[in-house]
Amino acid sequence: MAVDGVSERELRVTYEQKVLFTSAKVSVNLTVEDVRPDGLTLAYDGAFGVDLMIAGALKFLKYGLPELSEAVVPEDGHRIRVELGQIPQAQKALEMLALKDISVTDDGVVVEAALR
């Protein structure tokens, strides 16, 4: 799997999927659309097969990690809302910090937060 920055608000995740005797590269562009003090909204491109992969990943979360099922909420228009306040591991941090922004740089992802 490879992760590349596309712009200040967008990442491209690419992985290789084996199909019969060959493999195909599948890419998904993720865009940070909205950042709230306790969560964020991501949008993804609706390219061929991407919706099925996202739906499969969300089903895995719902049944495999039920504690995260309320935290990752699919929305219309190829969007996913992430409610960090619903994730037990993030709750303590959110008591002290409020998200302000998330951006993509050449070196990685920068998360900006303010003290509460």
Side-chain angles (χ1 to χ4, degrees):
M1 180 166 53
V3 178
D4 300 303
V6 175
S7 70
E8 186 177 292
R9 305 290 281 182
E10 187 173 4
L11 285 172
R12 177 176 295 124
V13 179
T14 304
Y15 77 97
E16 208 165 308
Q17 176 68 45
K18 294 188 190 250
V19 181
L20 295 177
F21 300 108
T22 187
S23 27
K25 287 189 177 182
V26 178
S27 295
V28 178
N29 289 348
L30 297 171
T31 304
V32 178
E33 278 202 341
D34 181 41
V35 178
R36 299 174 309 284
D38 60 349
L40 62 137
T41 302
L42 300 172
Y44 60 91
D45 59 9
F48 177 74
V50 171
D51 286 327
L52 292 175
M53 291 185 311
I54 299 289
L58 292 174
K59 270 194 178 171
F60 170 79
L61 281 176
K62 183 176 181 178
Y63 296 109
L65 301 167
E67 66 274 11
L68 296 181
S69 64
E70 298 295 319
V72 182
V73 182
E75 294 187 330
D76 292 337
H78 306 293
R79 287 174 178 73
I80 299 171
R81 191 176 75 244
V82 181
E83 297 294 341
L84 295 173
Q86 298 293 324
I87 301 173
Q89 297 87 340
Q91 288 173 350
K92 188 71 170 173
L94 289 174
E95 288 175 13
M96 297 178 287
L97 300 170
L99 285 178
K100 290 184 72 174
D101 196 18
I102 297 176
S103 60
V104 179
T105 67
D106 291 338
D107 298 323
V109 176
V110 176
V111 177
E112 185 180 337
L115 292 174
R116 289 188 187 249

